[in-house]
Amino acid sequence: MSAWREVTLGSLCSMASGKARRDEPRGNYPLFGSNGVIGNSTKNLVDAGIVVGRVGAYCGSVRMAVRPFWATDNTIVLRPAGTVDLRFLYAALSNAPLFALLS
């Protein structure tokens, strides 16, 4: 039986800001802003990950993307490291007071 241990978020995933918007109506990839999917893109930035809103009214909102997507510069994109499960990371962050931590 394994025990829970306290770790930093940085040890569970890599974190990076999204990039400037690439909004193309006929794109095949979801385009995430801080409040969720806001359009489409013809290019992907990340294969799968967690999107956290970093500005505005949706600062601290958490979304999970299980397929390739683009994320705008209003977001922070987290990618699980090693064997960290994407769904576990999403559940943990969804239940964390992120807005309080970011402000």
Side-chain angles (χ1 to χ4, degrees):
M1 182 170 159
S2 64
W4 288 90
R5 61 187 172 96
E6 191 172 314
V7 297
T8 64
L9 183 57
S11 70
L12 297 176
C13 62
S14 65
M15 294 175 264
S17 180
K19 304 292 181 195
R21 186 176 177 146
R22 294 190 58 94
D23 193 5
E24 294 113 1
R26 299 190 189 277
N28 293 323
Y29 301 104
L31 170 67
F32 280 84
S34 62
N35 64 338
V37 176
I38 59 171
N40 298 296
S41 175
T42 56
K43 299 196 185 273
N44 71 307
L45 181 64
V46 180
D47 289 332
I50 306 297
V51 180
V52 179
R54 71 173 184 90
V55 297
Y58 293 98
C59 182
S61 67
V62 180
R63 308 279 191 234
M64 180 174 65
V66 296
R67 66 183 192 101
F69 67 96
W70 188 275
T72 71
D73 51 1
N74 289 338
T75 67
I76 299 171
V77 178
L78 291 79
R79 291 184 248 189
T83 60
V84 175
D85 186 81
L86 180 66
R87 293 165 297 179
F88 174 81
L89 185 60
Y90 172 73
L93 291 171
S94 293
N95 290 296
L98 294 182
F99 184 76
L101 299 172
L102 294 172
S103 44

Coordinates of all heavy atoms in Angstrom, one line a residue:
M1 N 0.8 -1.2 0.0 CA 0.0 0.0 0.0 C 0.9 1.2 0.0 O 1.8 1.4 0.8 CB -0.9 0.0 1.3 CG -1.8 1.1 1.3 SD -3.0 0.8 2.7 CE -3.5 2.4 3.0
S2 N 0.6 2.2 -0.9 CA 1.4 3.4 -1.0 C 0.8 4.5 -0.2 O -0.4 4.5 -0.1 CB 1.6 3.8 -2.4 OG 0.4 4.1 -3.0
A3 N 1.6 5.4 0.2 CA 1.1 6.6 1.0 C 1.1 7.8 0.1 O 1.9 7.9 -0.8 CB 1.9 6.8 2.2
W4 N 0.2 8.7 0.4 CA 0.2 10.0 -0.3 C 1.4 10.8 0.2 O 1.8 10.8 1.4 CB -1.1 10.8 0.0 CG -2.3 10.2 -0.6 CD1 -3.1 9.3 -0.1 CD2 -2.8 10.5 -1.9 NE1 -4.1 9.0 -1.0 CE2 -3.9 9.7 -2.1 CE3 -2.3 11.4 -2.9 CZ2 -4.6 9.8 -3.3 CZ3 -3.1 11.4 -4.1 CH2 -4.2 10.6 -4.3
R5 N 2.0 11.6 -0.6 CA 3.0 12.5 -0.2 C 2.8 13.9 -0.9 O 2.2 14.0 -2.0 CB 4.4 12.0 -0.6 CG 4.7 11.7 -2.0 CD 6.0 11.0 -2.2 NE 6.1 10.6 -3.6 CZ 6.8 11.3 -4.5 NH1 7.4 12.4 -4.2 NH2 6.9 10.9 -5.7
E6 N 3.3 14.9 -0.3 CA 3.2 16.3 -0.8 C 4.3 16.5 -1.8 O 5.5 16.3 -1.6 CB 3.3 17.3 0.4 CG 2.9 18.7 0.0 CD 2.9 19.6 1.2 OE1 2.3 19.2 2.3 OE2 3.4 20.7 1.1
V7 N 3.9 17.0 -3.0 CA 4.8 17.4 -4.0 C 4.5 18.7 -4.6 O 3.4 19.2 -4.4 CB 4.8 16.3 -5.2 CG1 5.3 14.9 -4.6 CG2 3.5 16.2 -5.8
T8 N 5.4 19.3 -5.4 CA 5.1 20.6 -6.1 C 4.4 20.3 -7.4 O 4.5 19.2 -8.0 CB 6.3 21.4 -6.3 OG1 7.2 20.6 -7.2 CG2 7.1 21.7 -5.0
L9 N 3.6 21.2 -7.8 CA 2.9 21.1 -9.1 C 3.9 20.9 -10.2 O 3.8 20.2 -11.2 CB 2.0 22.3 -9.4 CG 1.2 22.3 -10.6 CD1 0.3 21.0 -10.7 CD2 0.3 23.5 -10.7
G10 N 5.1 21.7 -10.1 CA 6.1 21.6 -11.1 C 6.7 20.2 -11.3 O 7.3 19.9 -12.3
S11 N 6.6 19.4 -10.2 CA 7.2 18.0 -10.3 C 6.2 17.1 -11.0 O 6.6 16.0 -11.4 CB 7.5 17.5 -8.9 OG 6.4 17.2 -8.2
L12 N 4.9 17.5 -11.1 CA 3.9 16.7 -11.8 C 3.7 17.0 -13.3 O 3.2 16.2 -14.0 CB 2.6 16.8 -11.1 CG 2.5 16.4 -9.6 CD1 1.1 16.7 -9.0 CD2 2.8 14.9 -9.5
C13 N 4.1 18.2 -13.6 CA 3.8 18.6 -15.0 C 4.7 19.8 -15.4 O 5.3 20.4 -14.6 CB 2.3 19.1 -15.1 SG 1.9 20.5 -14.1
S14 N 4.8 20.0 -16.7 CA 5.4 21.2 -17.3 C 4.4 22.2 -17.5 O 3.2 21.9 -17.7 CB 6.1 20.9 -18.6 OG 5.2 20.5 -19.6
M15 N 4.7 23.5 -17.3 CA 3.8 24.6 -17.5 C 4.4 25.7 -18.4 O 5.5 26.0 -18.4 CB 3.6 25.3 -16.1 CG 2.9 24.4 -15.1 SD 2.7 25.1 -13.5 CE 4.1 24.4 -12.7
A16 N 3.5 26.2 -19.3 CA 3.9 27.2 -20.3 C 2.7 28.0 -20.7 O 1.6 27.5 -20.7 CB 4.5 26.5 -21.5
S17 N 2.9 29.2 -21.0 CA 1.9 30.1 -21.5 C 1.4 29.7 -22.9 O 2.3 29.1 -23.6 CB 2.4 31.6 -21.5 OG 1.3 32.4 -22.0
G18 N 0.2 29.8 -23.2 CA -0.3 29.6 -24.5 C 0.3 30.6 -25.5 O 1.1 31.4 -25.1
K19 N 0.0 30.5 -26.7 CA 0.5 31.4 -27.8 C -0.6 32.3 -28.4 O -1.8 32.0 -28.2 CB 1.2 30.6 -28.9 CG 2.2 29.6 -28.4 CD 3.4 30.4 -27.9 CE 4.5 29.4 -27.5 NZ 5.5 30.0 -26.6
A20 N -0.2 33.3 -29.1 CA -1.1 34.2 -29.7 C -2.2 33.4 -30.5 O -1.9 32.4 -31.1 CB -0.4 35.2 -30.6
R21 N -3.4 33.9 -30.6 CA -4.5 33.3 -31.2 C -4.3 32.9 -32.6 O -3.8 33.7 -33.4 CB -5.7 34.2 -31.0 CG -7.0 33.6 -31.5 CD -8.1 34.6 -31.2 NE -9.4 34.1 -31.7 CZ -10.5 34.3 -31.1 NH1 -10.6 35.0 -30.0 NH2 -11.6 33.8 -31.6
R22 N -4.7 31.7 -33.0 CA -4.7 31.2 -34.4 C -6.1 30.8 -34.7 O -6.3 29.6 -34.8 CB -3.7 30.1 -34.5 CG -2.3 30.4 -34.3 CD -1.4 29.3 -34.7 NE -1.6 28.9 -36.1 CZ -0.8 29.4 -37.1 NH1 0.1 30.3 -36.9 NH2 -1.1 29.0 -38.3
D23 N -7.0 31.7 -34.9 CA -8.4 31.4 -35.1 C -8.6 31.2 -36.6 O -8.5 32.2 -37.4 CB -9.2 32.5 -34.5 CG -10.7 32.1 -34.4 OD1 -11.1 31.0 -34.8 OD2 -11.5 33.0 -34.1
E24 N -8.9 30.0 -37.0 CA -9.3 29.7 -38.4 C -10.6 28.9 -38.4 O -10.7 27.9 -37.9 CB -8.2 29.0 -39.1 CG -6.9 29.8 -39.3 CD -5.8 29.2 -38.5 OE1 -5.9 28.2 -37.8 OE2 -4.7 29.8 -38.5
P25 N -11.6 29.4 -39.1 CA -13.0 28.8 -39.0 C -13.0 27.3 -39.4 O -13.8 26.6 -38.9 CB -13.8 29.6 -40.0 CG -13.1 30.9 -40.2 CD -11.6 30.6 -39.9
R26 N -12.1 26.9 -40.3 CA -12.2 25.6 -40.8 C -11.1 24.7 -40.2 O -10.8 23.6 -40.7 CB -12.0 25.6 -42.3 CG -13.1 26.3 -43.0 CD -13.1 26.1 -44.5 NE -14.0 26.9 -45.2 CZ -15.3 26.7 -45.4 NH1 -15.8 25.6 -44.9 NH2 -16.0 27.5 -46.0
G27 N -10.5 25.1 -39.1 CA -9.5 24.3 -38.5 C -10.0 23.1 -37.8 O -11.2 23.0 -37.4
N28 N -9.2 22.1 -37.7 CA -9.6 20.8 -37.1 C -9.3 20.7 -35.6 O -9.7 19.7 -35.0 CB -8.9 19.6 -37.8 CG -9.5 19.5 -39.2 OD1 -10.6 19.7 -39.5 ND2 -8.6 19.2 -40.1
Y29 N -8.6 21.7 -35.1 CA -8.1 21.6 -33.7 C -8.9 22.6 -32.8 O -9.1 23.7 -33.3 CB -6.6 21.9 -33.6 CG -5.8 20.9 -34.3 CD1 -5.2 21.3 -35.5 CD2 -5.6 19.6 -33.9 CE1 -4.5 20.4 -36.3 CE2 -4.8 18.7 -34.6 CZ -4.3 19.1 -35.8 OH -3.5 18.2 -36.5
P30 N -9.3 22.2 -31.6 CA -10.0 23.2 -30.8 C -9.0 24.3 -30.4 O -7.9 24.1 -30.1 CB -10.4 22.3 -29.5 CG -10.1 20.9 -29.8 CD -9.2 20.9 -31.0
L31 N -9.6 25.5 -30.3 CA -8.8 26.7 -29.8 C -9.3 27.1 -28.5 O -10.5 27.4 -28.3 CB -9.0 27.8 -30.8 CG -8.5 29.2 -30.4 CD1 -7.0 29.2 -30.4 CD2 -9.0 30.2 -31.4
F32 N -8.5 26.9 -27.5 CA -8.9 27.2 -26.1 C -8.5 28.6 -25.7 O -7.3 29.0 -25.9 CB -8.2 26.2 -25.1 CG -8.9 24.9 -25.0 CD1 -8.6 23.9 -25.9 CD2 -9.8 24.7 -24.0 CE1 -9.2 22.7 -25.8 CE2 -10.4 23.4 -23.9 CZ -10.1 22.4 -24.8
G33 N -9.4 29.3 -25.1 CA -9.1 30.6 -24.4 C -9.3 30.3 -22.9 O -9.5 29.2 -22.5
S34 N -9.3 31.4 -22.1 CA -9.3 31.2 -20.6 C -10.7 30.6 -20.2 O -10.8 30.1 -19.1 CB -9.0 32.4 -19.9 OG -9.9 33.4 -20.2
N35 N -11.7 30.7 -21.0 CA -13.0 30.2 -20.6 C -13.5 28.9 -21.4 O -14.6 28.6 -21.4 CB -14.1 31.3 -20.8 CG -14.3 31.7 -22.2 OD1 -13.4 31.5 -23.0 ND2 -15.4 32.3 -22.5
G36 N -12.5 28.3 -22.0 CA -12.8 27.0 -22.7 C -12.6 27.2 -24.2 O -11.9 28.1 -24.7
V37 N -13.3 26.3 -25.0 CA -13.1 26.3 -26.4 C -13.8 27.6 -27.0 O -15.0 27.8 -26.7 CB -13.7 25.1 -27.1 CG1 -13.6 25.1 -28.6 CG2 -13.0 23.8 -26.6
I38 N -13.0 28.4 -27.8 CA -13.5 29.6 -28.3 C -13.5 29.6 -29.9 O -13.8 30.6 -30.5 CB -12.8 30.8 -27.8 CG1 -11.3 30.7 -28.1 CG2 -13.0 31.0 -26.3 CD1 -10.5 32.0 -27.8
G39 N -13.0 28.5 -30.5 CA -13.0 28.5 -31.9 C -12.2 27.3 -32.4 O -12.1 26.3 -31.7
N40 N -11.6 27.4 -33.5 CA -10.8 26.3 -34.1 C -9.5 26.8 -34.7 O -9.3 28.0 -34.9 CB -11.6 25.7 -35.3 CG -12.9 25.1 -34.9 OD1 -12.9 24.1 -34.1 ND2 -14.0 25.6 -35.3
S41 N -8.5 25.9 -34.8 CA -7.2 26.3 -35.4 C -6.8 25.2 -36.4 O -7.2 24.0 -36.2 CB -6.2 26.4 -34.3 OG -4.9 26.6 -34.8
T42 N -6.0 25.6 -37.4 CA -5.5 24.6 -38.4 C -4.2 24.0 -37.9 O -3.7 23.0 -38.4 CB -5.3 25.3 -39.7 OG1 -4.4 26.4 -39.5 CG2 -6.6 25.7 -40.4
K43 N -3.7 24.5 -36.8 CA -2.4 23.9 -36.2 C -2.7 23.6 -34.7 O -3.5 24.2 -34.1 CB -1.3 24.9 -36.3 CG -1.0 25.3 -37.7 CD 0.4 25.9 -37.8 CE 0.6 26.4 -39.2 NZ 1.2 25.5 -40.1
N44 N -1.9 22.6 -34.2 CA -2.0 22.3 -32.8 C -0.7 22.8 -32.1 O 0.3 22.8 -32.7 CB -2.3 20.8 -32.6 CG -1.1 19.9 -32.9 OD1 -0.6 20.0 -34.0 ND2 -0.7 19.1 -32.0
L45 N -0.9 23.1 -30.9 CA 0.2 23.6 -30.0 C 0.6 22.5 -29.1 O 1.8 22.3 -28.7 CB -0.2 24.8 -29.2 CG 0.8 25.5 -28.3 CD1 1.9 26.1 -29.1 CD2 0.1 26.6 -27.6
V46 N -0.3 21.7 -28.6 CA -0.1 20.6 -27.6 C -0.9 19.4 -28.0 O -2.0 19.5 -28.5 CB -0.6 21.2 -26.2 CG1 -0.4 20.1 -25.1 CG2 0.0 22.5 -25.8
D47 N -0.4 18.2 -27.7 CA -1.1 17.0 -28.0 C -2.2 16.7 -27.0 O -3.3 16.2 -27.4 CB -0.1 15.8 -28.0 CG 0.8 15.9 -29.3 OD1 0.4 16.4 -30.3 OD2 1.9 15.4 -29.2
A48 N -2.0 16.9 -25.8 CA -3.1 16.8 -24.7 C -2.6 17.5 -23.5 O -1.4 17.6 -23.3 CB -3.3 15.3 -24.4
G49 N -3.5 18.0 -22.7 CA -3.1 18.7 -21.5 C -4.2 19.4 -20.7 O -5.4 19.2 -21.1
I50 N -3.8 20.2 -19.8 CA -4.8 20.9 -18.9 C -4.6 22.4 -19.3 O -3.5 22.9 -19.4 CB -4.5 20.8 -17.4 CG1 -4.4 19.3 -17.1 CG2 -5.5 21.5 -16.6 CD1 -5.7 18.5 -17.2
V51 N -5.7 23.1 -19.5 CA -5.7 24.5 -19.8 C -6.3 25.3 -18.6 O -7.4 25.0 -18.2 CB -6.5 24.8 -21.1 CG1 -6.5 26.3 -21.4 CG2 -6.1 24.0 -22.3
V52 N -5.5 26.2 -18.1 CA -5.9 27.0 -17.0 C -6.0 28.5 -17.4 O -5.1 29.0 -18.0 CB -4.9 26.9 -15.8 CG1 -5.3 27.8 -14.6 CG2 -4.7 25.4 -15.4
G53 N -7.2 29.1 -17.2 CA -7.3 30.5 -17.5 C -6.4 31.3 -16.6 O -6.3 31.1 -15.4
R54 N -5.7 32.3 -17.2 CA -4.7 33.0 -16.4 C -5.1 34.5 -16.3 O -4.4 35.3 -15.6 CB -3.3 32.9 -16.9 CG -3.0 33.5 -18.2 CD -1.5 33.4 -18.6 NE -1.2 34.1 -19.8 CZ -0.8 35.4 -19.8 NH1 -0.7 36.1 -18.7 NH2 -0.6 36.0 -21.0
V55 N -6.1 35.0 -17.0 CA -6.5 36.4 -16.9 C -8.0 36.5 -16.9 O -8.7 35.7 -17.4 CB -5.9 37.3 -18.1 CG1 -4.4 37.3 -18.0 CG2 -6.4 36.7 -19.4
G56 N -8.5 37.7 -16.5 CA -9.9 38.0 -16.6 C -10.8 37.3 -15.6 O -10.4 36.7 -14.7
A57 N -12.1 37.3 -16.0 CA -13.1 36.7 -15.1 C -13.0 35.2 -15.0 O -13.4 34.6 -14.0 CB -14.5 37.0 -15.7
Y58 N -12.3 34.6 -16.0 CA -12.1 33.1 -15.9 C -10.8 32.7 -15.4 O -10.3 31.5 -15.6 CB -12.4 32.5 -17.3 CG -13.8 32.7 -17.7 CD1 -14.2 33.7 -18.6 CD2 -14.8 31.8 -17.2 CE1 -15.6 33.9 -18.9 CE2 -16.1 32.0 -17.6 CZ -16.5 33.0 -18.4 OH -17.8 33.2 -18.8
C59 N -10.0 33.6 -14.8 CA -8.7 33.3 -14.2 C -8.9 32.1 -13.2 O -9.8 32.1 -12.3 CB -8.2 34.5 -13.5 SG -6.5 34.2 -12.8
G60 N -8.2 31.1 -13.4 CA -8.2 29.9 -12.5 C -9.2 28.8 -13.0 O -9.2 27.7 -12.4
S61 N -9.9 29.1 -14.1 CA -10.8 28.0 -14.6 C -9.9 26.9 -15.2 O -8.8 27.1 -15.7 CB -11.7 28.5 -15.7 OG -10.9 28.9 -16.9
V62 N -10.4 25.7 -15.1 CA -9.6 24.5 -15.5 C -10.3 23.7 -16.5 O -11.5 23.3 -16.3 CB -9.2 23.6 -14.3 CG1 -8.4 22.4 -14.7 CG2 -8.5 24.4 -13.2
R63 N -9.7 23.4 -17.7 CA -10.3 22.5 -18.7 C -9.3 21.4 -19.1 O -8.1 21.6 -19.0 CB -10.5 23.3 -20.0 CG -11.3 24.6 -19.8 CD -12.8 24.3 -19.7 NE -13.6 25.5 -19.7 CZ -14.4 25.9 -18.8 NH1 -14.7 25.1 -17.8 NH2 -15.1 27.0 -18.9
M64 N -9.8 20.3 -19.5 CA -8.9 19.2 -19.9 C -9.1 19.0 -21.4 O -10.2 19.0 -21.9 CB -9.3 17.9 -19.2 CG -8.4 16.7 -19.6 SD -8.6 15.2 -18.6 CE -10.3 14.8 -18.9
A65 N -8.0 18.8 -22.1 CA -8.1 18.4 -23.6 C -7.3 17.1 -23.8 O -6.1 17.0 -23.5 CB -7.4 19.6 -24.4
V66 N -8.0 16.1 -24.3 CA -7.4 14.8 -24.5 C -7.0 14.6 -25.9 O -6.4 13.5 -26.2 CB -8.4 13.7 -24.1 CG1 -8.7 13.7 -22.6 CG2 -9.7 13.7 -24.9
R67 N -7.2 15.6 -26.8 CA -6.7 15.5 -28.1 C -5.9 16.8 -28.5 O -6.0 17.7 -27.7 CB -7.8 15.2 -29.1 CG -8.8 16.3 -29.2 CD -10.0 15.9 -30.2 NE -10.8 17.0 -30.6 CZ -10.7 17.7 -31.7 NH1 -9.8 17.3 -32.6 NH2 -11.5 18.7 -32.0
P68 N -5.2 16.8 -29.6 CA -4.4 18.0 -29.9 C -5.3 19.3 -30.0 O -6.4 19.2 -30.4 CB -3.8 17.6 -31.3 CG -3.8 16.1 -31.3 CD -5.0 15.7 -30.5
F69 N -4.6 20.4 -29.5 CA -5.4 21.7 -29.5 C -4.4 22.8 -29.5 O -3.2 22.6 -29.4 CB -6.2 21.7 -28.2 CG -5.4 21.8 -26.9 CD1 -5.0 23.0 -26.3 CD2 -4.9 20.6 -26.3 CE1 -4.3 23.0 -25.1 CE2 -4.2 20.6 -25.1 CZ -3.8 21.9 -24.6
W70 N -4.9 24.0 -29.7 CA -4.2 25.3 -29.6 C -4.7 26.0 -28.4 O -5.9 25.9 -28.1 CB -4.4 26.1 -30.8 CG -3.5 27.3 -30.9 CD1 -3.7 28.5 -30.3 CD2 -2.2 27.4 -31.5 NE1 -2.6 29.4 -30.5 CE2 -1.7 28.7 -31.2 CE3 -1.4 26.5 -32.2 CZ2 -0.5 29.2 -31.7 CZ3 -0.2 27.0 -32.7 CH2 0.3 28.3 -32.4
A71 N -3.8 26.7 -27.6 CA -4.3 27.5 -26.5 C -3.7 28.9 -26.6 O -2.6 29.1 -27.0 CB -3.7 26.9 -25.2
T72 N -4.6 29.9 -26.4 CA -4.2 31.3 -26.5 C -3.3 31.7 -25.4 O -3.1 31.0 -24.4 CB -5.4 32.2 -26.6 OG1 -6.0 32.3 -25.3 CG2 -6.5 31.7 -27.6
D73 N -2.8 32.9 -25.6 CA -1.9 33.5 -24.6 C -2.6 34.0 -23.3 O -2.0 34.5 -22.4 CB -1.0 34.6 -25.1 CG -1.8 35.6 -25.9 OD1 -3.0 35.6 -26.0 OD2 -1.2 36.6 -26.4
N74 N -3.9 33.8 -23.2 CA -4.7 34.0 -22.0 C -4.7 32.8 -21.1 O -5.5 32.8 -20.1 CB -6.1 34.4 -22.4 CG -6.2 35.8 -23.0 OD1 -5.3 36.6 -22.8 ND2 -7.3 36.1 -23.7
T75 N -4.0 31.8 -21.4 CA -4.0 30.5 -20.7 C -2.6 30.1 -20.3 O -1.6 30.6 -20.8 CB -4.6 29.4 -21.6 OG1 -3.7 29.1 -22.6 CG2 -6.0 29.7 -22.1
I76 N -2.6 29.2 -19.3 CA -1.4 28.4 -19.0 C -1.7 27.0 -19.3 O -2.8 26.4 -19.0 CB -1.0 28.5 -17.5 CG1 -0.8 30.0 -17.1 CG2 0.1 27.6 -17.1 CD1 -0.7 30.2 -15.6
V77 N -0.8 26.3 -20.0 CA -1.0 24.9 -20.5 C -0.1 24.0 -19.6 O 1.1 24.3 -19.5 CB -0.6 24.8 -22.0 CG1 -0.8 23.3 -22.4 CG2 -1.5 25.7 -22.8
L78 N -0.7 23.0 -19.0 CA 0.1 22.1 -18.2 C 0.1 20.7 -18.9 O -1.0 20.2 -19.4 CB -0.6 21.9 -16.8 CG -0.5 23.1 -15.9 CD1 -1.5 24.2 -16.3 CD2 -0.7 22.7 -14.5
R79 N 1.3 20.1 -19.0 CA 1.4 18.8 -19.6 C 2.0 17.8 -18.6 O 3.0 18.1 -18.0 CB 2.3 18.8 -20.8 CG 1.7 19.6 -22.0 CD 2.6 19.5 -23.1 NE 3.1 20.9 -23.4 CZ 3.8 21.2 -24.4 NH1 4.1 20.3 -25.3 NH2 4.2 22.5 -24.6
P80 N 1.3 16.7 -18.3 CA 1.7 15.8 -17.3 C 3.1 15.3 -17.6 O 3.5 15.1 -18.7 CB 0.7 14.6 -17.3 CG -0.5 15.2 -18.0 CD 0.0 16.3 -18.9
A81 N 3.9 15.1 -16.5 CA 5.3 14.6 -16.6 C 5.3 13.1 -16.4 O 4.5 12.6 -15.6 CB 6.2 15.3 -15.6
G82 N 6.1 12.4 -17.1 CA 6.3 10.9 -16.8 C 5.0 10.1 -16.9 O 4.2 10.2 -17.8
T83 N 4.7 9.5 -15.7 CA 3.5 8.6 -15.7 C 2.3 9.3 -15.0 O 1.4 8.6 -14.7 CB 3.9 7.3 -14.9 OG1 4.3 7.7 -13.6 CG2 5.0 6.5 -15.6
V84 N 2.4 10.6 -14.8 CA 1.3 11.3 -14.2 C 0.1 11.2 -15.1 O 0.1 11.5 -16.3 CB 1.6 12.8 -13.9 CG1 0.4 13.5 -13.3 CG2 2.8 12.8 -12.9
D85 N -1.1 10.8 -14.6 CA -2.3 10.6 -15.3 C -3.0 12.0 -15.6 O -3.2 12.7 -14.6 CB -3.2 9.7 -14.6 CG -4.5 9.4 -15.4 OD1 -4.4 8.5 -16.2 OD2 -5.5 10.0 -15.1
L86 N -3.3 12.3 -16.8 CA -3.9 13.5 -17.2 C -5.2 13.7 -16.4 O -5.5 14.8 -15.9 CB -4.2 13.6 -18.7 CG -4.8 14.8 -19.3 CD1 -3.9 16.0 -19.1 CD2 -5.2 14.6 -20.7
R87 N -6.0 12.7 -16.3 CA -7.3 12.8 -15.6 C -7.1 13.1 -14.1 O -7.9 13.8 -13.5 CB -8.2 11.6 -15.8 CG -8.6 11.4 -17.3 CD -9.1 10.0 -17.6 NE -7.9 9.1 -17.3 CZ -7.9 7.8 -17.5 NH1 -9.0 7.2 -17.8 NH2 -6.8 7.1 -17.3
F88 N -6.1 12.5 -13.5 CA -5.8 12.8 -12.1 C -5.4 14.2 -11.9 O -5.9 14.9 -11.0 CB -4.7 11.8 -11.6 CG -4.3 12.2 -10.2 CD1 -5.1 11.7 -9.1 CD2 -3.2 12.9 -9.9 CE1 -4.7 12.1 -7.8 CE2 -2.8 13.3 -8.6 CZ -3.6 12.8 -7.6
L89 N -4.5 14.7 -12.8 CA -4.1 16.1 -12.7 C -5.3 17.0 -12.8 O -5.4 18.0 -12.1 CB -3.0 16.3 -13.8 CG -2.3 17.7 -13.7 CD1 -1.6 17.9 -12.4 CD2 -1.3 17.8 -14.9
Y90 N -6.1 16.7 -13.8 CA -7.3 17.6 -14.0 C -8.2 17.6 -12.7 O -8.6 18.6 -12.3 CB -8.1 17.1 -15.2 CG -9.4 17.7 -15.4 CD1 -9.5 19.0 -15.8 CD2 -10.6 17.1 -15.1 CE1 -10.7 19.7 -16.0 CE2 -11.9 17.7 -15.2 CZ -11.9 19.0 -15.7 OH -13.1 19.6 -15.8
A91 N -8.5 16.4 -12.2 CA -9.3 16.3 -11.0 C -8.7 17.1 -9.8 O -9.4 17.9 -9.1 CB -9.6 14.9 -10.6
A92 N -7.4 17.0 -9.6 CA -6.7 17.7 -8.5 C -6.8 19.2 -8.7 O -7.1 19.9 -7.8 CB -5.3 17.2 -8.4
L93 N -6.6 19.7 -9.9 CA -6.6 21.1 -10.2 C -8.0 21.7 -10.2 O -8.2 22.8 -9.8 CB -5.9 21.4 -11.5 CG -4.4 21.2 -11.5 CD1 -3.9 21.3 -13.0 CD2 -3.7 22.2 -10.6
S94 N -9.0 20.9 -10.6 CA -10.4 21.3 -10.6 C -10.9 21.6 -9.2 O -11.8 22.3 -8.9 CB -11.3 20.3 -11.3 OG -11.0 20.2 -12.6
N95 N -10.3 20.9 -8.2 CA -10.7 21.0 -6.8 C -9.8 21.9 -6.0 O -9.9 22.0 -4.8 CB -10.8 19.6 -6.2 CG -12.0 18.9 -6.7 OD1 -13.1 19.2 -6.6 ND2 -11.7 17.8 -7.5
A96 N -8.8 22.6 -6.6 CA -7.9 23.4 -5.9 C -8.4 24.9 -6.1 O -8.9 25.3 -7.1 CB -6.5 23.3 -6.5
P97 N -8.1 25.7 -5.1 CA -8.5 27.1 -5.1 C -7.5 27.9 -6.0 O -6.8 28.8 -5.5 CB -8.5 27.6 -3.7 CG -7.4 26.7 -3.1 CD -7.5 25.4 -3.8
L98 N -7.5 27.7 -7.3 CA -6.4 28.3 -8.2 C -6.5 29.8 -8.2 O -5.5 30.5 -8.2 CB -6.5 27.7 -9.6 CG -6.2 26.2 -9.7 CD1 -6.2 25.8 -11.2 CD2 -4.8 26.0 -9.2
F99 N -7.8 30.3 -8.3 CA -7.9 31.8 -8.4 C -7.2 32.4 -7.2 O -6.5 33.4 -7.3 CB -9.3 32.2 -8.5 CG -9.5 33.7 -8.7 CD1 -9.2 34.3 -9.9 CD2 -9.8 34.5 -7.6 CE1 -9.3 35.6 -10.1 CE2 -9.9 35.9 -7.8 CZ -9.7 36.4 -9.0
A100 N -7.4 31.9 -6.0 CA -6.8 32.4 -4.8 C -5.3 32.4 -4.9 O -4.6 33.3 -4.4 CB -7.3 31.7 -3.6
L101 N -4.8 31.3 -5.5 CA -3.3 31.1 -5.6 C -2.7 32.0 -6.6 O -1.6 32.5 -6.5 CB -3.0 29.7 -5.9 CG -3.4 28.6 -4.9 CD1 -3.2 27.2 -5.5 CD2 -2.6 28.8 -3.6
L102 N -3.5 32.4 -7.7 CA -3.0 33.2 -8.8 C -3.1 34.7 -8.5 O -2.4 35.5 -9.1 CB -3.7 32.9 -10.1 CG -3.5 31.5 -10.6 CD1 -4.5 31.2 -11.8 CD2 -2.1 31.3 -11.1
S103 N -4.0 35.1 -7.5 CA -4.1 36.5 -7.3 C -3.3 37.0 -6.2 O -2.5 36.4 -5.6 CB -5.6 36.8 -7.0 OG -6.2 35.9 -6.1

